[in-house]
Amino acid sequence: MGIMSKIISGGGQHTTDEYLDLDIDLGDVEGSRGEAGMNVRIATISGQQDVIDIKDAVYDGDLVIADITRHTTSDSTMEHIVDDLRQVAEEVDGDIAQKDDDQIIIAPTGVAVARRKLN
């Protein structure tokens, strides 16, 4: 199973043990890495209760990639969830976009989601 499959797959709670720390050579900037201004958070939306943690993360300035494979986009629950997340994106002057039928990206203040692929 690939790393992205592990990150966005369902199956309950994930721990930090499931993520790989890539040993990247930063050359001269080694050790100068400070506190990140924004984190990219991964979430799975199983129901309306999952929206609370996503809202909190976006209000805190994090970008969230949410797996919605458990719902169809025409599902009324999913429509309510998307409306809630759209409202959060508007409140923080962020952005929201859906990638295919399996992911929603909710961006915080100052971050836009490009609608075109790089390649």
Side-chain angles (χ1 to χ4, degrees):
M1 180 181 290
I3 184 76
M4 286 306 293
S5 296
K6 286 182 180 181
I7 291 172
I8 63 172
S9 68
Q13 296 290 343
H14 296 284
T15 65
T16 55
D17 296 337
E18 296 178 43
Y19 295 89
L20 298 175
D21 187 12
L22 300 177
D23 188 23
I24 299 173
D25 182 18
L26 298 175
D28 294 334
V29 295
E30 186 174 319
S32 67
R33 181 177 172 201
E35 189 69 27
M38 174 180 41
N39 291 307
V40 175
R41 309 286 302 263
I42 307 299
T44 300
I45 298 177
S46 300
Q48 189 72 38
Q49 73 280 1
D50 298 320
V51 174
I52 296 167
D53 291 335
I54 294 170
K55 285 181 174 184
D56 289 344
V58 175
Y59 284 132
D60 289 343
D62 294 339
L63 183 137
V64 179
I65 301 171
D67 178 7
I68 59 169
T69 55
R70 292 197 165 107
H71 298 278
T72 62
T73 53
S74 61
D75 181 0
S76 64
T77 302
M78 196 62 216
E79 289 176 17
H80 290 290
I81 289 170
V82 171
D83 287 342
D84 283 350
L85 295 175
R86 186 175 291 118
Q87 180 181 357
V88 170
E90 288 174 6
E91 287 176 7
V92 299
D93 197 26
D95 198 5
I96 184 168
Q98 184 170 339
K99 183 195 165 288
D100 299 325
D101 288 335
D102 63 344
Q103 292 179 343
I104 293 179
I105 302 166
I106 310 97
T109 306
V111 178
V113 179
R115 289 349 193 232
R116 291 177 32 157
K117 290 183 179 182
L118 290 175
N119 52 17

